Amino acid sequence: MRLIHEKKKGRDKRSLSCDFPQDGEMSGSSPFKMRFVHLDLKGAPPKVSYLSEIFPLFHALGANGLLIEYEDTFPYEGPLKLLRAPHAYSPSEVTEVLRLAAAHELEVVPLVQTFGHMEFVLKHEALAHLREVALFPNTLNPHEAESLALVGAMVDQVLELHPGARWLHIGCDEVYYLGEGEASRQWLQQEQNTTATLCLSHMRAVASHVQARHPATTPLVWDDMLRDIPEDQLSASGVPQLVEPVLWDYGADLDVQGKALLMEKYRQCGFPRLWAASAFKGATGPSQALPPIEHHLRNNLQWLQVAAQGRKDTLQGIILTGWQRYDHFSVLCELLPVGIPSLAVCLQSLLHGGFTEDVRARVQHLLGISSLEIAGVLSEGTGSFPGSDILALVIQVSLHLRSSVDEMLQMDRYVTGWFSPYHRRRKLIHPVMIQHIQPQALR
């Protein structure tokens, strides 16, 4: 889910109006009945007090649901307690988040990884024997009965704290190195066995567990592991009767026709409902500090085109993903408060069927921003939305402080000559040089 899409050269606002429908060219009604904001809590999880401030804004911007990916911030109990991070939410905090969401008409769908992206589970020595490949903690070994018991217990604990959840996302994206473990290699030696069969078998097992234990809850899965599987194999697997795929693509130039064909393929295979997934942050680089709003806007506008090409009501809704880390071990990318302007632009464009001057004005009003820049960076100190002070600080650090520090460390003759990395490691400096370096460092 965290594929890196290369950013295109920035285009001015006029190019956007040439490429996409403007006032009067679209009906103004969204083809996406469900518009879910993804909260990726595996990095910089917000305090509940911040969520209480931001949920009313999500609702005002047009969201009517949340996809909450807890990972190690969920308060697992019993044998699963080792999965819980020191900063995990308490059960009462999870309950409060659900209460706040309901108060602002945001339906909550929890996400539990059950196949790939299992680093937060398989990094633990006590569970390392359940890795598909012994060296890599990302993928679960689907041959072990203990693997299914593990993810089943995780699912049960999460749903116990989410009573009445209509959907549960069970992940299943980017199941890297599937088929490369020793048990898989032996299994694949049998002629009829393939990695696709192995993947579908585990998906079916997890989804069947959800259906048996929680019959009112429908599993969602990311679709990337399904895309290349032949129609007849997908149809015969039993998976289409158990899950609803989420087609994801975060590119600014996604293949609209290709996505429409993929939707038709899934429909022919027997999947009754499909979902789309775009991005408002966390999809343009693992260490990205500021989201390129134009990139994400174009991505969401192209999903509108995909919806227009497909059969009516084929897409149940769209999930606007906001990744906080590319995986459990990577650095943070754009923080949630920093991504709010991008989210606002994308949500309002999806709600109204395009990005118009009216949409721009509404976003500026809701965020308290005097001038909304799509192709560039927001002005410092603008905005009155919850977390806007964090955005101002990140802009200051990213655009000004970091470059001036780099320039000083690499270009200043006194620093490069008398305060090099060698000097700093050994805490050595000529006292005379301090009077040259210190004033600039303090500034």
Side-chain angles (χ1 to χ4, degrees):
M1 298 306 302
R2 294 99 180 149
L3 291 182
I4 301 175
H5 293 284
E6 293 296 325
K7 287 190 287 183
K8 306 298 181 185
K9 277 191 173 181
R11 307 183 195 181
D12 62 22
K13 286 179 272 190
R14 288 170 297 173
S15 71
L16 208 62
S17 64
C18 294
D19 291 346
F20 296 101
Q22 296 298 298
D23 285 311
E25 294 182 296
M26 295 192 78
S27 66
S29 61
S30 176
F32 299 110
K33 294 178 182 177
M34 307 296 290
R35 297 170 298 278
F36 281 39
V37 177
H38 172 228
L39 294 177
D40 182 12
L41 304 180
K42 66 175 171 288
K47 292 182 178 180
V48 176
S49 58
Y50 180 68
L51 296 177
S52 72
E53 296 180 64
I54 209 71
F55 283 179
L57 180 59
F58 285 178
H59 175 73
L61 290 170
N64 53 17
L66 302 170
L67 177 68
I68 302 184
E69 183 164 358
Y70 291 100
E71 212 198 52
D72 62 355
T73 64
F74 185 80
Y76 288 106
E77 297 286 358
L80 298 179
K81 194 169 184 178
L82 81 166
L83 307 183
R84 189 200 292 195
H87 57 270
Y89 296 99
S90 67
S92 61
E93 286 178 319
V94 171
T95 300
E96 177 63 6
V97 170
L98 298 182
R99 188 195 68 78
L100 291 166
H104 298 289
E105 300 177 21
L106 299 169
E107 181 167 4
V108 172
V109 175
L111 187 153
V112 182
Q113 288 288 2
T114 59
F115 206 177
H117 287 295
M118 291 284 284
E119 293 93 344
F120 79 103
V121 177
L122 300 176
K123 71 178 183 180
H124 296 285
E125 187 177 350
L127 297 169
H129 63 286
L130 297 179
R131 298 174 180 179
E132 166 71 343
V133 176
L135 191 60
F136 305 141
N138 52 297
T139 295
L140 190 69
N141 179 347
H143 301 279
E144 294 284 347
E146 190 182 344
S147 294
L148 184 59
L150 170 68
V151 295
M154 292 165 61
V155 162
D156 292 344
Q157 288 198 21
V158 169
L159 285 178
E160 186 179 352
L161 271 185
H162 293 76
R166 288 199 289 169
W167 294 280
L168 168 73
H169 202 312
I170 58 173
C172 296
D173 61 307
E174 297 179 340
V175 189
Y176 297 138
Y177 306 106
L178 180 63
E180 296 187 21
E182 186 56 38
S184 290
R185 290 178 186 274
Q186 294 181 17
W187 186 83
L188 289 170
Q189 287 178 0
Q190 299 178 41
E191 187 176 346
Q192 73 277 17
N193 292 340
T194 64
T195 53
T197 307
L198 186 57
C199 179
L200 290 169
S201 174
H202 184 73
M203 277 190 191
R204 184 173 61 246
V206 176
S208 295
H209 173 89
V210 175
Q211 185 183 64
R213 297 289 297 272
H214 313 277
T217 303
T218 300
L220 306 181
V221 296
W222 300 119
D223 85 305
D224 53 291
M225 298 300 293
L226 304 174
R227 292 172 193 163
D228 297 328
I229 298 177
E231 280 187 36
D232 57 347
Q233 187 176 3
L234 264 180
S235 300
S237 68
V239 170
Q241 288 72 45
L242 294 170
V243 306
E244 296 177 6
V246 183
L247 290 74
W248 61 271
D249 194 319
Y250 311 143
D253 53 358
L254 65 85
D255 180 0
V256 172
Q257 186 59 35
K259 286 289 179 290
L261 292 172
L262 185 59
M263 286 165 53
E264 183 60 22
K265 169 187 171 178
Y266 288 152
R267 196 189 68 81
Q268 293 285 349
C269 290
F271 290 104
R273 284 172 294 276
L274 309 173
W275 296 70
S278 61
F280 70 92
K281 75 178 187 75
T284 55
S287 60
Q288 186 83 24
L290 294 164
I293 296 179
E294 184 182 17
H295 173 104
H296 296 298
L297 172 60
R298 298 183 75 86
N299 171 243
N300 281 272
L301 291 177
Q302 289 189 314
W303 272 112
L304 283 173
Q305 293 186 14
V306 173
Q309 291 210 12
R311 293 171 182 257
K312 193 175 186 301
D313 296 331
T314 298
L315 287 171
Q316 179 99 333
I318 187 166
I319 299 166
L320 293 88
T321 63
W323 301 103
Q324 195 54 79
R325 297 187 196 274
Y326 272 39
D327 67 34
H328 184 74
F329 293 107
S330 69
V331 297
L332 297 173
C333 42
E334 306 101 309
L335 299 171
L336 178 58
V338 174
I340 294 301
S342 177
L343 175 64
V345 166
C346 295
L347 263 176
Q348 280 284 291
S349 298
L350 290 172
L351 184 65
H352 296 289
F355 184 69
T356 64
E357 286 306 312
D358 284 345
V359 168
R360 181 194 296 273
R362 180 160 174 79
V363 169
Q364 289 177 170
H365 171 71
L366 287 169
L367 301 186
I369 293 174
S370 57
S371 178
L372 178 65
E373 291 296 326
I374 298 301
V377 176
L378 293 170
S379 302
E380 287 184 67
T382 59
S384 57
F385 61 89
S388 56
D389 52 339
I390 301 294
L391 171 59
L393 289 169
V394 171
I395 290 174
Q396 182 183 350
V397 170
S398 298
L399 300 187
H400 306 298
L401 182 60
R402 180 174 294 158
S403 59
S404 65
V405 169
D406 288 345
E407 182 179 359
M408 178 183 175
L409 292 177
Q410 296 167 18
M411 305 298 293
D412 185 279
R413 66 189 297 265
Y414 296 108
V415 173
T416 58
W418 284 272
F419 200 45
S420 68
Y422 174 90
H423 293 91
R424 296 200 293 274
R425 279 197 306 272
R426 288 161 179 77
K427 295 182 171 56
L428 297 173
I429 188 169
H430 194 307
V432 170
M433 294 302 157
I434 293 176
Q435 63 185 338
H436 296 288
I437 297 170
Q438 191 176 43
Q440 191 176 351
L442 291 174
R443 179 182 63 80

